[in-house]
Amino acid sequence: MPLHVPPAPAPALRSVLTALGSPTAVREARTPSLRNAQGPATPEFPLPVHVWDRITPEGASATRLAGWRFLIRCGERAVAAAETMLTPDGWAFSHFFEGPYIASTERALRQAENMKQPYQARLLSVPELYMLTLWLHGDCTADGATGHPAATDLLVPLAPAPPGIAAHRPHRVAELLPVLTHRVAPAPLLGSPA
């Protein structure tokens, strides 16, 4: 089934295109692979980046939209990513970056394209665990900028994943949330009743 990618806000895409066309923005970025890329660089796969700010024993807090991420393709592969953020004046380019999450995101997107059920692609960050996942939302018609992970949605941890959580293995939210909750729960103090 095809993977649905929600449309990014037009100003977010324009800001990334402007940054890609700026020799200064590309030259000053800490992305050697983007600076050294041969040929045109194009933004692809706009993914809304949601953040789970807090996970407690009672469950996860609501998510919030933190920005839109575009993979920057040059030739056959993504060489970097561009992040945008919402400012008082609207969507604006934030920065370029590279690292292991670029290839990991591409791999997870390819996996998702081969699934039988259609999903809407998003990214979900869990800062408390230094974890980023591809969030496969079951409602392909939903507004990609809003919502909360449904129990039946899939989360695919991107590499590097936290110890004990397998990267690139899809998990239903209902199955992974208890593991995440356990991970962020404070350890009991020595000498206190368990």
Side-chain angles (χ1 to χ4, degrees):
M1 287 284 176
L3 185 63
H4 297 271
V5 178
L13 177 58
R14 276 195 305 272
S15 72
V16 170
L17 290 169
T18 300
L20 281 171
S22 165
T24 304
V26 172
R27 189 174 49 252
E28 290 180 0
R30 295 182 181 171
T31 53
S33 59
L34 181 59
R35 283 195 310 266
N36 299 331
Q38 300 296 317
T42 56
E44 294 183 350
F45 284 110
L47 297 171
V49 180
H50 294 263
V51 177
W52 251 343
D53 284 315
R54 225 163 117 55
I55 298 177
T56 66
E58 294 76 37
S61 65
T63 62
R64 65 177 170 82
L65 181 66
W68 284 81
R69 181 172 297 171
F70 297 78
L71 294 181
I72 306 299
R73 182 166 303 282
C74 195
E76 295 293 314
R77 65 184 184 92
V79 296
E83 195 91 13
T84 64
M85 63 183 183
L86 190 58
T87 69
D89 295 325
W91 288 100
F93 171 76
S94 174
H95 62 282
F96 292 115
F97 66 95
E98 61 183 47
Y101 285 132
I102 308 302
S104 187
T105 301
E106 273 195 309
R107 177 180 169 184
L109 287 167
R110 280 193 307 272
Q111 278 180 278
E113 286 174 342
N114 293 320
M115 293 182 172
K116 291 183 172 121
Q117 180 179 339
Y119 288 101
Q120 183 187 80
R122 305 170 176 198
L123 292 173
L124 180 64
S125 173
V126 186
E128 287 180 290
L129 296 174
Y130 301 100
M131 181 171 145
L132 183 64
T133 69
L134 178 64
W135 169 13
L136 299 173
H137 189 55
D139 182 358
C140 295
T141 62
D143 178 357
T146 62
H148 187 75
T152 57
D153 286 353
L154 296 179
L155 297 178
V156 182
L158 301 180
I165 297 176
H168 298 287
R169 182 177 168 265
H171 302 269
R172 294 227 177 271
V173 169
E175 297 164 358
L176 188 58
L177 187 56
V179 173
L180 301 180
T181 301
H182 178 72
R183 286 294 188 87
V184 298
L189 297 173
L190 291 176
S192 64

